[in-house]
Amino acid sequence: SALTKRITIEMLEARRDEKNFLLRKEESYVKHHAQLSGAIGRDFDELKAMVRSAGYSDLGERITVIHDAFESYGNDFAVLAMAQTKLGLTESSGLSGSLRKAVDIVETGVGEIKDPKLSGRLLTMRRHEKDFMLWRDPRYAAEFKKAIVAFTMVLTEMDLPYEVQEKISLNLDKYSRDFSSWVTAAQEMMGSETDLATIFRSLEPKVAQAISGIARPPGIAPAPDGPFRRGVNVPRGGQLACSAPGSRP
């Protein structure tokens, strides 16, 4: 049917927007996903009304389950999009940008001091930071915290002007806090991505089953004539076919 085909295509487009957003980190995909979700919700409401008006209450309940699952998917995507926006859609925005500014100041200060031991501690911190961002393994976040402590110990033992040590320390604290927040947001994203994949995997067979039921509901007599006939055709043999409003029956 035209309506069920449209819903299927819209759901696949929503999934594509999700993948494109994760790949390109462009807000336009989030906006389009929201628009699609609204259209899909309206189409599901129309489909449920059409099916129930024809007397197919069981099929209507199955469609409601699919609709509810898609709404859960949409909510999880919204959480994922917010977490990614918090992390930063570019290297200079969000927590990524804030973190980068703070550590740039630390690196500049360490570079002026020219102490090999302090420089080594800094490189260790950055390595654990980058490893976590790449692999999202909590082990690297734990190692980062240890590296911060090791760097701080070396810094405080050095005989440096107060203003130099203070500037590095303050920005080190900010760098550490921003990275901790980055880790939290990244873990939220990972959870949302897992939920999205799980929901969509469960949706696919349900959608196929519902479409099959709409195409040929077994043992159901044709529906009586009425306004619903404009959207649902029940030809001989009990085959149910839905069409979008304005299309020919």
Side-chain angles (χ1 to χ4, degrees):
S1 73
L3 184 54
T4 53
K5 183 178 180 180
R6 187 168 73 207
I7 292 174
T8 302
I9 291 172
E10 287 170 338
M11 290 174 66
L12 290 173
E13 287 180 351
R15 184 70 163 157
R16 184 172 60 188
D17 279 339
E18 172 208 328
K19 298 299 183 184
N20 281 334
F21 174 71
L22 290 172
L23 180 64
R24 297 182 172 88
K25 298 179 178 59
E26 294 178 6
E27 196 174 0
S28 59
Y29 293 114
V30 179
K31 293 179 179 177
H32 189 250
H33 192 282
Q35 292 170 354
L36 272 176
S37 295
I40 291 168
R42 291 188 292 272
D43 287 343
F44 267 123
D45 288 338
E46 181 183 342
L47 182 60
K48 286 184 287 185
M50 293 166 72
V51 169
R52 285 169 177 163
S53 295
Y56 306 132
S57 58
D58 289 346
L59 186 54
E61 290 303 318
R62 282 155 58 190
I63 294 170
T64 297
V65 170
I66 297 171
H67 187 188
D68 290 346
F70 183 82
E71 286 191 340
S72 294
Y73 162 81
N75 292 335
D76 282 337
F77 177 74
V79 171
L80 181 147
M82 285 189 291
Q84 180 60 69
T85 302
K86 183 178 180 180
L87 288 178
L89 299 180
T90 66
E91 290 185 350
S92 59
S93 66
L95 288 170
S96 295
S98 178
L99 181 154
R100 179 182 289 263
K101 287 178 183 177
V103 77
D104 280 350
I105 294 173
V106 173
E107 286 182 327
T108 299
V110 171
E112 291 172 351
I113 295 170
K114 294 182 174 59
D115 181 83
K117 189 174 182 180
L118 191 64
S119 296
R121 295 290 187 270
L122 176 60
L123 289 174
T124 300
M125 284 191 308
R126 301 288 337 246
R127 185 176 70 248
H128 293 317
E129 170 209 327
K130 300 300 183 185
D131 282 343
F132 178 83
M133 289 181 174
L134 180 62
W135 303 108
R136 306 294 170 94
D137 188 333
R139 175 183 54 182
Y140 296 119
E143 291 299 322
F144 175 87
K145 291 180 180 179
K146 295 177 184 178
I148 286 283
V149 173
F151 179 92
T152 302
M153 288 178 64
V154 174
L155 180 67
T156 54
E157 289 172 356
M158 299 182 71
D159 185 17
L160 297 171
Y162 173 80
E163 61 274 10
V164 172
Q165 194 169 78
E166 183 74 0
K167 186 176 182 179
I168 293 175
S169 296
L170 287 175
N171 283 281
L172 181 69
D173 287 343
K174 180 168 176 50
Y175 170 51
S176 179
R177 288 195 307 271
D178 285 345
F179 179 74
S180 179
S181 298
W182 206 101
V183 169
T184 300
Q187 290 172 336
E188 289 174 0
M189 270 195 67
M190 289 169 61
S192 295
E193 285 186 66
T194 300
D195 291 343
L196 288 174
T198 300
I199 291 173
F200 220 88
R201 276 198 303 269
S202 71
L203 274 175
E204 290 174 343
K206 291 175 183 176
V207 170
Q209 193 176 43
I211 290 174
S212 176
I214 290 171
R216 190 178 297 277
I220 297 180
D225 289 338
F228 178 66
R229 299 282 298 194
R230 292 193 296 270
V232 177
N233 302 320
V234 188
R236 292 180 183 177
Q239 182 174 356
L240 173 65
C242 300
S243 59
S247 62
R248 293 183 179 273

